[in-house]
Each structure stands twice: as C-alpha cells, then as structure tokens.
Amino acid sequence: MKKLSHLNEKGEARMVDVSEKGVTSRTAIAVGFVAMQPETLALVESGEAKKGDVLATARIAGIMAAKRTHELIPLCHPLAITKASVEFEASHAPAGIRVRAEVKVAGQTGVEMEALTAVSVACLTIYDMLKAADKGMVFKDIRLIEKTGGRSGTFRAEGQ
C-alpha cells in the first residue's frame, strides 16, 4: 500500500514539503451533478429563479473557491493558479445540471483539490440559488476525471 504523503512517521498530519519538486505544468478536471425536479431546471433555463442568474453566480463561486482552496482544506498549499473555469450543461433525463471545472497551474504540486472544490462550491451555490423552489436537490458523482503533470503523470478516470 502507498504511504500517505500527508502523514509523518508518527502518523500525524503535516503539510507536504514540495520545495525540492520541480515546477511543471499541471491540470485537473473535476465534474459533478446537481439532480433536481424538472420544474426547477426550467427556472434555471428560463432565467426566472427568484435569486437571479443561477449559473453565473455558481460559476463565479466555483472560480473563487478554486482560488481559496488552501483556506478551506487544511493541508493544501496556496497556489498561484493560472486558469480556473467552471462550465454547466443542463440535463433533462435525469433532470439536473452537470458541472465541470478545470484548473491549471505551473507549480510544484497539483490542482486536483482546487478542481474538486470548484465543482463542490458551484453545486452548493446552485442549491442555494434554487432551494426556495426545490429543497430535495441532490449532489451526485463529484469526482476527479483527469489530472496531468507532476511526478505521478497523467490520470484519466475510466470512461473519460
């Protein structure tokens, strides 16, 4: 079994020392899904949600979250990310919104957590913007689908 890099020899949490690692181009892509009632999706598509533009707000929230991941996840390094994008796709069967985030950096550590955080916060924002209409929304399948760069190389989730 692989040794967990965020634990020292005593099993205590630590921030990984990346000072000896080379700077490389790194990318991560994460996805998720917000399942909702068809009527709730119709509010998004028509632009009639009471709180305003749901997807524009969720996009900005996701990008902001990627930039601040180190403030939310205790052992993440602060990174000068070079790209953070959040995209949405409506789905009618099942009803909901697909969320995709891509984050890039030229650095000594990867941006997987930043991409996952962007998707998670975008999903949370969609919920917040629409909860008056549908409190039963469900987040599904939030996961990393691709990462490139760094010592471990490329990862692509099966089926991607």
Side-chain angles (χ1 to χ4, degrees):
M1 187 163 120
K2 280 185 143 181
K3 182 181 174 192
L4 297 176
S5 61
H6 283 82
L7 298 177
N8 67 16
E9 50 285 335
K10 295 179 187 175
E12 301 165 333
R14 68 178 177 107
M15 187 177 217
V16 175
D17 180 359
V18 297
S19 61
E20 300 299 319
K21 293 172 85 175
V23 173
T24 61
S25 177
R26 299 160 184 263
T27 302
I29 301 171
V31 295
F33 187 76
V34 182
M36 61 187 63
Q37 295 299 316
E39 300 80 17
T40 309
L41 179 61
L43 288 173
V44 175
E45 292 181 311
S46 68
E48 295 177 9
K50 288 185 179 185
K51 284 190 167 185
D53 190 331
V54 173
L55 301 183
T57 305
R59 178 175 290 109
I60 295 301
I63 292 168
M64 289 175 64
K67 293 168 34 174
R68 300 185 76 146
T69 298
H70 70 281
E71 295 177 12
L72 301 169
I73 310 295
L75 301 177
C76 284
H77 292 84
L79 300 174
I81 61 175
T82 56
K83 176 184 181 178
S85 64
V86 178
E87 300 168 3
F88 304 101
E89 180 185 353
S91 170
H92 292 276
I97 299 172
R98 289 185 182 86
V99 182
R100 179 185 185 274
E102 180 177 2
V103 180
K104 292 184 178 184
V105 70
Q108 295 166 295
T109 189
V111 286
E112 297 93 342
M113 294 306 299
E114 287 73 10
L116 287 162
T117 301
V119 167
S120 298
V121 171
C123 289
L124 286 164
T125 303
I126 290 168
Y127 186 95
D128 180 55
M129 296 288 288
L130 296 169
K131 68 185 177 219
D134 184 356
K135 289 182 179 38
M137 290 177 279
V138 176
F139 307 152
K140 295 183 176 185
D141 303 322
I142 295 174
R143 65 191 182 116
L144 180 72
I145 62 166
E146 182 178 315
K147 79 112 198 130
T148 63
R151 193 179 314 163
S152 64
T154 298
F155 163 81
R156 283 192 182 83
E158 289 186 29
Q160 297 305 311

